[in-house]
Amino acid sequence: MNTNTTETLLETISTQCDSLRTLLVGATQELHELTRRLEQIVQQLRKNIDVRDANFATDFNDYCQQLRKKLDAQETAWTDIRTQARTRKPGDWTEDLILPAKGLNSRAKTLSRACDEFITAYDIFARVYKGFTAVKLNVWLLTACQSDASLLTGKILFLAREITKHTEQKRGNYVAG
C-alpha cells in the first residue's frame, strides 16, 4: 500500500475520533441538564407540588432518539474505517507515521475519558430515575446508546493501540542501543 493512503487513513481516523469525542461531550452535558431537571421533578412529586416541567418527557425522548441517530452514523463510519485499517498490512504502517500514530493514540485516550464521563452521567441519571414512574421515558434507548458508545470506544482504543504498535515496531530498526 502507498504510505500516502495510509497517512490519509490515519488522518481520517483522528478526525473521526475527534468527532465522536465531541458528540459524547455534548451528549454528556445535555444528559447532566436532563438529570438536573429530573431531580427537580422528583422533588416536586415528593412534596406533592404540581410538576412545572411539562416538557421533560418529550425533551428526554427526543434527546435519546437524536443520540441514537448520531451514534448509528458514527458506528457506520467507524465500521468502514476499521475495515480499511484491517486491510492494511503491518508493513504499511511506516516509521514516518510514528508521531501521527501516537497522536491518534492520545486522541483515543481522550475519547475514552469522554466516554467515561458519559457513562458516569448515565449512572447518575439512572440513580435519580430509579423508581420514577410518573412519566414513560425511553431509558432503554439511553441504556443502549451508553452501551454502544462504550463498545465503540473500546474498539477505537484497540485500533489506535494496534496502529501505534505497528509503527513502533518499525522504529526499532533505526534506534541504536
Side-chain angles (χ1 to χ4, degrees):
M1 286 278 156
N2 186 347
T3 301
N4 189 25
T5 59
T6 304
E7 186 174 358
T8 303
L9 176 61
L10 194 57
E11 290 171 7
T12 301
I13 294 170
S14 293
T15 302
Q16 277 299 119
C17 199
D18 289 342
S19 174
L20 182 57
R21 183 186 58 79
T22 301
L23 170 65
L24 288 176
V25 167
T28 301
Q29 291 172 346
E30 196 168 344
L31 186 55
H32 280 305
E33 176 61 24
L34 288 167
T35 301
R36 185 193 62 72
R37 288 172 61 189
L38 181 61
E39 285 175 336
Q40 288 178 342
I41 291 170
V42 168
Q43 287 175 358
Q44 290 168 357
L45 289 172
R46 283 187 190 142
K47 295 177 182 178
N48 289 330
I49 300 173
D50 289 336
V51 175
R52 296 178 207 126
D53 193 348
N55 296 328
F56 176 76
T58 304
D59 292 347
F60 178 81
N61 291 335
D62 289 345
Y63 162 77
C64 290
Q65 289 172 350
Q66 291 302 316
L67 182 59
R68 176 80 270 157
K69 288 177 186 175
K70 291 175 184 177
L71 282 174
D72 286 347
Q74 284 284 331
E75 182 68 41
T76 302
W78 277 106
T79 299
D80 293 341
I81 288 171
R82 287 192 337 264
T83 300
Q84 290 176 29
R86 281 190 217 113
T87 61
R88 302 288 195 267
K89 298 173 188 152
D92 292 337
W93 301 104
T94 58
E95 65 275 355
D96 61 332
L97 297 176
I98 289 173
L99 288 177
K102 285 186 176 187
L104 170 61
N105 200 24
S106 178
R107 284 182 167 147
K109 288 177 183 177
T110 304
L111 169 63
S112 178
R113 285 194 283 292
C115 186
D116 289 345
E117 290 174 12
F118 178 67
I119 291 169
T120 300
Y122 167 80
D123 290 342
I124 292 168
F125 179 85
R127 189 191 73 230
V128 173
Y129 177 74
K130 184 179 177 181
F132 177 75
T133 57
V135 181
K136 181 166 175 59
L137 300 177
N138 292 337
V139 176
W140 61 271
L141 190 55
L142 179 61
T143 302
C145 290
Q146 178 268 331
S147 177
D148 291 348
S150 179
L151 289 171
L152 182 57
T153 300
K155 291 175 184 177
I156 294 167
L157 273 170
F158 179 78
L159 177 65
R161 287 181 191 134
E162 286 296 306
I163 291 171
T164 302
K165 181 178 82 172
H166 290 308
T167 58
E168 283 290 322
Q169 287 174 345
K170 305 292 188 257
R171 183 177 183 191
N173 298 336
Y174 299 98
V175 176

